[in-house]
């Protein structure tokens, strides 16, 4: 990488046309649908990043630019989630760059990768940045293609971590509201966290995601599940229907003209492919216990079990969580939430009893609110669209944060000088 830093410096000294010629013959794989935010110090760099954002290889990425360098970035992320990639320009000296980055590290979420652009050409600084887990250092003045290359290579290097995180949502019993919860969380991930996400409706015969998002796409998940050999990123891309700026749907056919018996690995290639290109995939897993549902739950990055407050839900949630914990000894335990709590006159099992039996607290206790959920379901809207400031909409936003790993880290940002190392190192492939 040090060699690469020197190469960058050399490239910048070369004439622009030579640089462009080299770039034209260079193969740079396109970046997936990641969010990129740049904090520049100079208009020249801002212009280069802007032009990079218009490059075909960044066509799927969302690139936002603002001025103000490290200080503006640290300020911006104090109270809001960080994107997939942060580009920081600094005209400071080496010691100040490192100090500034340590402050930024304290407000960075897991998985965010950092590229630094600076004018210091110093191998020691470069080493320190690498040690802190900074993904790339670009010498200014930068060219458009340097920015394109730096962002794309974060995701295409052979050792790059896939960008996507898969969150599986399943009900402890049928009809408890698992799909509703999954759809609202995915919507909040797209809207409030501005992470590109896809909802995959795995309830092929009866799924309601199309209805909930008011979409009726001609294609969807069945096209991929029945043609596993054709599945690649471009193929899956064509099956997605766009719901909002940051949210797409892989819809269920919800027709009964055939049956949907699948082998355990029927969905492997679809989600391997989505994982490489979409930051967040939410699986709406139907309440069934067959080979492929078990496999999807075990292989997800995070799991949310939705339970109603009765005995059958408690037993099933416990069985599910115990099995998943045993099958995933090195993962975070599955989360659960209670839904439809407080139906008038209905005897219910208390959240405290759930917490005791399941050995952890629920991520949310969602009240039974037919006057809110009823219109949402019938009008093809999300809860936050029916009633924006509603407490329940805020719950979905918080669940979106928890499930994408964005809460714990914000809380642990007490130590302003904690090195980027632990967090940023993980990001590097
Ligand atoms: N907190 C709530 N208050 C009132 N109604 C709710 C609540 N949560 C979900 N619902 C309603 O409950 C019904 C069932 O929800 P949903 O289809 O999401 O459940 P599910 O667990 O996915 O069911 P299935 O097992 O059929 O897949 C829907 O009409 C939905 O609007
Ligand atoms: Mg459902």
């Amino acid at each position: 990488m040090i060699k690469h830093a020197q190469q960058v410096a050399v490239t910048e000294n070369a004439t622009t046309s030579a640089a462009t010629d080299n770039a034209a013959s260079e193969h740079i794989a396109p970046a997936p649908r990641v969010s990129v935010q740049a904090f520049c110090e100079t208009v020249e760099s801002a212009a280069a990043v802007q032009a990079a954002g218009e490059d075909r290889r960044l066509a799927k990425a969302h690139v936002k630019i603002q001025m103000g360098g490290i200080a503006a970035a640290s300020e911006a992320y104090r109270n809001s989630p960080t994107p997939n990639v942060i580009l920081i320009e600094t005209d400071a000296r080496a010691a100040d760059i490192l100090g500034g980055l340590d402050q930024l590290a304290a407000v960075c979420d897991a998985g965010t990768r950092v590229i630094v652009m600076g004018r210091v050409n110093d191998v020691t600084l470069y080493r320190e940045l690498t040690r802190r887990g900074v993904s790339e250092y670009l010498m200014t003045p930068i060219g458009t293609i340097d920015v394109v290359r730096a962002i794309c290579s974060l995701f295409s290097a052979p050792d790059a971590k896939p960008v996507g995180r898969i969150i599986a949502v399943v009900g402890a019993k049928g009809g408890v509201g698992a799909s509703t919860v999954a759809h609202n969380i995915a919507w909040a991930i797209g809207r409030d966290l501005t992470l590109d996400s896809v909802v995959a409706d795995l309830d092929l015969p009866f799924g309601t995601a199309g209805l909930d998002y008011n979409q009726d796409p001609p294609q969807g998940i069945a096209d991929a599940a029945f043609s596993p050999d054709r599945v690649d990123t471009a193929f899956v891309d064509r099956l997605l229907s766009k719901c909002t700026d940051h949210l797409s749907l892989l819809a269920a056919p919800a027709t009964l003209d055939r049956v949907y018996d699948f082998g355990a690995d029927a969905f492997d290639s679809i989600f391997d492919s989505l994982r490489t290109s979409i930051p967040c995939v939410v699986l709406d897993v139907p309440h069934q216990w067959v080979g492929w549902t078990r496999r999807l739950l075990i292989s997800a990055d995070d799991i949310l079990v939705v339970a109603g407050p009765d005995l059958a839900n408690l037993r099933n949630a416990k069985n599910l969580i115990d099995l998943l914990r045993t099958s995933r000894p090195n993962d975070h335990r599955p989360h659960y939430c209670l839904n439809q709590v407080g139906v008038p006159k209905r005897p219910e099992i208390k959240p405290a009893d759930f917490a005791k039996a399941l050995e952890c607290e629920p991520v949310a206790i969602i009240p039974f609110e037919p006057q809110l959920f009823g219109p949402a379901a019938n009008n093809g809207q999300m809860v936050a669209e029916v009633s924006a400031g509603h407490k329940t909409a805020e719950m979905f936003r918080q669940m979106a944060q928890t499930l994408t790993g964005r809460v714990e880290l914000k809380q642990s940002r007490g130590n302003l000088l904690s090195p980027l190392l632990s967090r940023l190192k993980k990001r590097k492939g």
Side-chain angles (χ1 to χ4, degrees):
M1 285 184 88
I2 291 167
K3 211 163 127 207
H4 182 59
Q6 286 159 347
Q7 272 170 3
V8 171
V10 172
T11 310
E12 290 314 325
N13 293 335
T15 63
T16 314
S17 67
T20 313
D21 286 350
N22 285 342
S25 59
E26 179 184 350
H27 178 71
I28 302 175
R33 291 167 198 253
V34 287
S35 50
V36 181
Q37 282 177 14
F39 293 84
C40 297
E41 297 267 23
T42 62
V43 283
E44 291 78 15
S45 297
V49 177
Q50 166 93 34
E54 288 157 16
D55 185 272
R56 68 180 166 82
R57 283 154 292 210
L58 292 182
K60 285 190 187 154
H62 303 274
V63 181
K64 250 170 74 182
I65 304 160
Q66 59 192 86
M67 304 303 284
I70 298 185
S74 302
E75 189 51 42
Y77 300 128
R78 209 161 288 282
N79 296 312
S80 58
T82 44
N84 299 106
V85 182
I86 303 178
L87 266 163
I88 299 277
E89 181 177 21
T90 169
D91 50 17
R93 290 172 332 179
D96 299 334
I97 296 178
L98 297 175
L101 282 175
D102 284 347
Q103 290 207 10
L104 178 65
V107 293
C108 253
D109 293 306
T112 294
R113 299 159 215 224
V114 176
I115 297 172
V116 176
M117 310 181 279
R119 57 191 165 84
V120 180
N121 189 357
D122 171 14
V123 169
T124 320
L125 168 68
Y126 199 79
R127 245 182 239 139
E128 276 301 305
L129 291 174
T130 309
R131 199 175 71 74
R132 281 168 158 79
V134 165
S135 297
E136 187 67 276
Y137 181 69
L138 302 175
M139 288 286 299
T140 52
I142 44 157
T144 300
I145 199 67
D146 300 324
V147 179
V148 173
R149 183 192 303 113
I151 296 172
C152 292
S153 64
L154 292 177
F155 304 99
S156 64
D159 58 348
K161 257 193 192 163
V163 293
R165 186 166 177 135
I166 296 192
I167 300 170
V169 181
V170 67
K173 228 172 87 170
V176 289
S179 299
T180 308
V181 168
H183 304 163
N184 279 279
I185 290 175
W187 191 89
I189 292 172
R191 218 272 307 252
D192 301 317
L193 309 185
T194 58
L195 276 183
D196 264 24
S197 44
V198 164
V199 170
D201 189 344
L202 291 155
D203 187 352
L204 278 84
F206 303 116
T208 51
L211 298 177
D212 285 359
Y213 295 121
N214 201 12
Q215 299 273 326
D216 188 15
Q219 287 183 302
I221 192 148
D223 300 85
F226 285 113
S227 325
D229 303 339
R230 293 178 60 199
V231 169
D232 59 20
T233 310
F235 180 73
V236 176
D237 236 38
R238 284 196 296 276
L239 304 180
L240 297 176
S241 61
K242 202 171 162 69
C243 302
T244 67
D245 264 1
H246 293 281
L247 177 69
S248 301
L249 169 65
L250 199 47
T255 51
L256 303 179
D257 45 358
R258 58 179 157 186
V259 292
Y260 302 97
D261 292 331
F262 295 115
D265 55 2
F267 296 97
D268 284 8
S269 54
I270 304 171
F271 295 118
D272 285 349
S273 159
L274 278 174
R275 227 193 251 275
T276 62
S277 62
I278 310 279
C280 194
V281 179
V282 176
L283 307 184
D284 177 356
V285 182
H287 178 71
Q288 294 174 22
W289 195 243
V290 290
W292 61 268
T293 52
R294 185 179 61 182
R295 187 178 174 98
L296 284 178
L297 289 171
I298 290 176
S299 62
D301 295 291
D302 289 279
I303 302 163
L304 175 68
V305 176
V306 181
D310 66 23
L311 188 60
N313 272 286
L314 177 59
R315 181 201 62 187
N316 295 355
K318 178 146 181 63
N319 285 347
L320 261 173
I321 291 175
D322 284 351
L323 178 121
L324 292 168
R325 282 183 75 184
T326 315
S327 319
R328 305 155 45 96
N330 307 314
D331 282 276
H332 191 288
R333 57 184 301 146
H335 299 282
Y336 74 98
C337 73
L338 295 174
N339 188 30
Q340 307 197 6
V341 172
V343 173
K345 299 197 173 132
R346 181 175 74 173
E348 293 183 351
I349 294 181
K350 297 260 170 309
D353 295 327
F354 264 85
K356 206 164 150 207
L358 303 182
E359 297 165 43
C360 79
E361 296 294 324
V363 287
I365 300 171
I366 306 170
F368 175 67
E369 285 168 316
Q371 70 290 3
L372 180 64
F373 285 86
N378 289 339
N379 299 337
Q381 285 182 305
M382 293 295 112
V383 159
E385 292 176 296
V386 173
S387 179
H390 201 285
K391 234 174 52 239
T392 305
E394 174 58 19
M395 273 185 204
F396 287 126
R397 201 178 67 78
Q398 286 188 357
M399 289 164 85
Q401 288 202 331
T402 306
L403 287 166
T404 51
R406 286 172 180 250
V407 171
E408 299 107 50
L409 286 169
K410 290 278 160 169
Q411 284 167 348
S412 72
R413 69 178 188 224
N415 179 5
L416 273 189
L417 292 178
S418 69
L420 278 161
L421 187 64
S422 56
R423 261 161 271 166
L424 295 185
K425 264 269 147 79
K426 284 190 223 142
R427 289 173 203 149
K428 297 202 69 205

